[in-house]
């Protein structure tokens, strides 16, 4: 499927770069994993991995850090794709970290999004991963714009934006000492628009909540918050049914939809082209405060 606003040669260049990076990880890492949540960026990564390694099986398992507060449509889609691909999925549960006492919440219904850092580092240690492949992009958020494609993490799993390695002419330094690891972002140079163009070209299936649907929502901090068991409106706030879609998916407690009538990738591309708000800025409650800033969480080990 082609459109007159699509530069397919540019998308092909991005695809080739990402495939090269995936193969570089496979060639240099001793034990890697590809993060797959069922979200659109990880769906794109899966297709890129298929193009990089099929008809052989992937040289790494899939990995998801599960907060326990997920949209059911996304988890159902995750499991469906894993079964279709016949690949191994490892799941690290924030609930297990809570049970171990390594994660402590003030209230049982608090957001678990930031707590993923602890569970992620525990899972890395348990399986001795030295490289994790993820779908983060530089255009998502200011802190992610500071990332390298091969992003170094020290023996504590922490990220220092001032202590990263130069990447010149697609040369990547993958050397690590014991206990250290690398986070790898093959679609770091992609934009949200590029992702949707790729989804359209490849006709990739996504969880249904990425497209317009009717949902009960209420307003908070200039965002639309979905009514769920984890996000209940105050008694003095009006709940309305609106046609919405999600630009990004994550923990229910902090992920918000946007008003939308877009039913397919082409219509989403047109909406995205006219939006003045960043993907995360328009949809994430936890990215709006300094206390829960992305950069602080990344320094602590967040992806």
């Amino acid at each position: 499927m082609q459109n007159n606003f699509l530069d397919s040669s540019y998308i092909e260049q991005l695809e080739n770069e990402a495939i090269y990076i995936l193969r570089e990880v496979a060639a240099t890492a001793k034990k890697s994993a590809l993060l797959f949540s069922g979200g659109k960026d990880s769906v794109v990564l899966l297709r890129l991995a298929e193009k990089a390694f099929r008809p052989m099986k992937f040289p790494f398992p899939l990995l998801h850090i599960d907060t326990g507060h997920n949209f059911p449509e996304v988890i159902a889609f995750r499991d469906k794709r894993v079964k279709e691909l016949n690949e191994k999925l490892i799941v690290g549960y924030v609930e297990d970290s809570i049970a171990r006492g390594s994660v402590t919440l003030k209230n049982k219904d608090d957001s678990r999004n930031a707590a993923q850092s602890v569970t992620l580092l525990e899972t890395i240690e348990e399986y001795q991963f030295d490289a994790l492949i993820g779908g983060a992009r530089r255009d998502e958020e200011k802190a992610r714009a500071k990332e390298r494609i091969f992003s170094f993490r020290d023996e504590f799993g922490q990220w220092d934006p001032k202590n990263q390695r130069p990447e010149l002419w697609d040369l990547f330094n993958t050397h690590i000492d014991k206990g250290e690891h690398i986070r790898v972002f093959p679609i770091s140079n992609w934009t949200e628009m590029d992702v949707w163009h790729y989804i359209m070209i490849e006709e990739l299936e996504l969880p249904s909540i990425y497209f317009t649907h009717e949902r009960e929502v209420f307003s908070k901090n200039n965002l639309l918050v979905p009514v769920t068991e984890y996000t209940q409106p105050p008694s003095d706030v009006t709940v309305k049914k609106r046609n919405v879609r999600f630009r990004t998916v994550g923990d229910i407690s902090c992920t918000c939809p946007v008003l939308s009538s877009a039913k397919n990738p082409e219509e989403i591309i047109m909406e995205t082209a006219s939006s003045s708000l960043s993907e995360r800025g328009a949809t994430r409650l936890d990215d709006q405060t300094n206390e829960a800033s992305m950069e602080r969480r990344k320094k602590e080990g967040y992806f």
Side-chain angles (χ1 to χ4, degrees):
M1 186 182 302
Q2 298 291 329
N3 267 297
N4 55 12
F5 55 80
L6 171 61
D7 182 355
S8 58
S9 63
Y10 174 66
I11 299 298
E12 185 177 356
Q13 289 174 17
L14 291 175
E15 179 188 68
N16 289 338
E17 177 188 56
I19 290 173
Y20 167 75
I21 292 166
L22 286 167
R23 289 173 175 166
E24 188 76 3
V25 177
T28 59
K30 293 179 181 178
K31 193 171 185 182
S32 56
L34 187 150
L35 277 99
F36 179 62
S37 64
K40 69 180 188 308
D41 297 317
S42 61
V43 167
V44 167
L45 273 185
L46 276 192
R47 175 51 57 88
L48 292 166
E50 287 184 85
K51 292 193 174 188
F53 304 112
R54 293 300 196 198
M56 304 295 289
K57 290 181 71 67
F58 295 164
F60 36 64
L62 307 179
L63 172 64
H64 182 214
I65 303 303
D66 189 337
T67 66
H69 294 173
N70 300 288
F71 292 97
E73 301 95 327
V74 179
I75 294 300
F77 177 83
R78 179 200 71 182
D79 294 341
K80 173 176 172 289
R81 286 298 291 133
V82 170
K83 184 176 180 180
E84 289 171 350
L85 290 168
N86 191 28
E87 295 289 349
K88 179 181 179 181
L89 173 68
I90 296 170
V91 181
Y93 295 96
V94 171
E95 193 70 44
D96 290 343
S97 297
I98 294 172
R100 285 190 291 266
S102 52
V103 166
T104 303
L105 303 177
K106 293 180 180 178
N107 301 295
K108 65 181 181 66
D109 292 330
D110 284 351
S111 173
R112 299 180 175 187
N113 201 43
Q116 291 179 88
S117 303
V118 174
T119 308
L120 176 61
L121 294 177
E122 290 175 342
T123 306
I124 290 171
E125 183 177 6
E126 178 182 356
Y127 289 92
Q128 295 294 294
F129 291 127
D130 61 351
L132 291 185
I133 305 162
R137 308 186 321 271
R138 288 184 176 132
D139 74 318
E140 286 182 83
E141 199 272 341
K142 291 180 180 179
R144 284 184 166 165
K146 299 178 182 180
E147 287 278 16
R148 299 291 194 268
I149 291 176
F150 280 70
S151 184
F152 172 75
R153 297 301 195 272
D154 65 20
E155 65 270 27
F156 302 105
Q158 296 179 328
W159 172 68
D160 180 357
K162 297 180 180 180
N163 184 29
Q164 294 295 312
R165 297 161 178 178
E167 293 179 339
L168 305 173
W169 307 290
D170 291 333
L171 297 176
F172 304 113
N173 182 350
T174 61
H175 173 77
I176 56 172
D177 293 324
K178 185 176 181 180
E180 300 171 342
H181 68 277
I182 297 286
R183 309 277 175 93
V184 186
F185 305 107
I187 62 171
S188 184
N189 291 328
W190 298 42
T191 65
E192 182 183 11
M193 188 77 84
D194 296 331
V195 167
W196 279 108
H197 275 138
Y198 196 74
I199 289 167
M200 181 182 69
I201 293 169
E202 295 293 319
E203 299 182 347
L204 300 180
E205 184 182 0
L206 292 175
S208 59
I209 65 174
Y210 274 109
F211 305 100
T212 187
H213 59 285
E214 190 177 68
R215 185 180 290 265
E216 287 190 333
V217 296
F218 62 94
S219 296
K220 181 179 179 181
N221 298 345
N222 296 319
L223 297 178
L224 294 178
V225 181
V227 177
T228 71
E229 62 178 306
Y230 307 112
T231 49
Q232 290 292 312
S235 58
D236 59 342
V237 170
T238 302
V239 172
K240 296 182 179 180
K241 283 189 174 182
R242 308 294 295 271
N243 288 327
V244 299
R245 68 176 177 88
F246 287 85
R247 287 175 69 179
T248 180
V249 296
D251 189 275
I252 286 176
S253 64
C254 61
T255 305
C256 299
V258 297
L259 293 174
S260 175
S261 60
K263 302 181 294 294
N264 53 53
E266 294 91 331
E267 293 178 3
I268 289 175
I269 289 169
M270 298 305 294
E271 277 191 1
T272 303
S274 62
S275 176
S276 61
L277 294 174
S278 68
E279 180 178 348
R280 295 187 69 94
T283 62
R284 291 296 182 96
L285 283 169
D286 62 332
D287 285 349
Q288 294 195 330
T289 65
N290 289 329
E291 182 181 359
S293 70
M294 172 68 80
E295 184 157 337
R296 179 182 63 80
R297 283 181 286 146
K298 284 175 65 63
K299 288 178 179 178
E300 295 171 350
Y302 187 74
F303 208 85

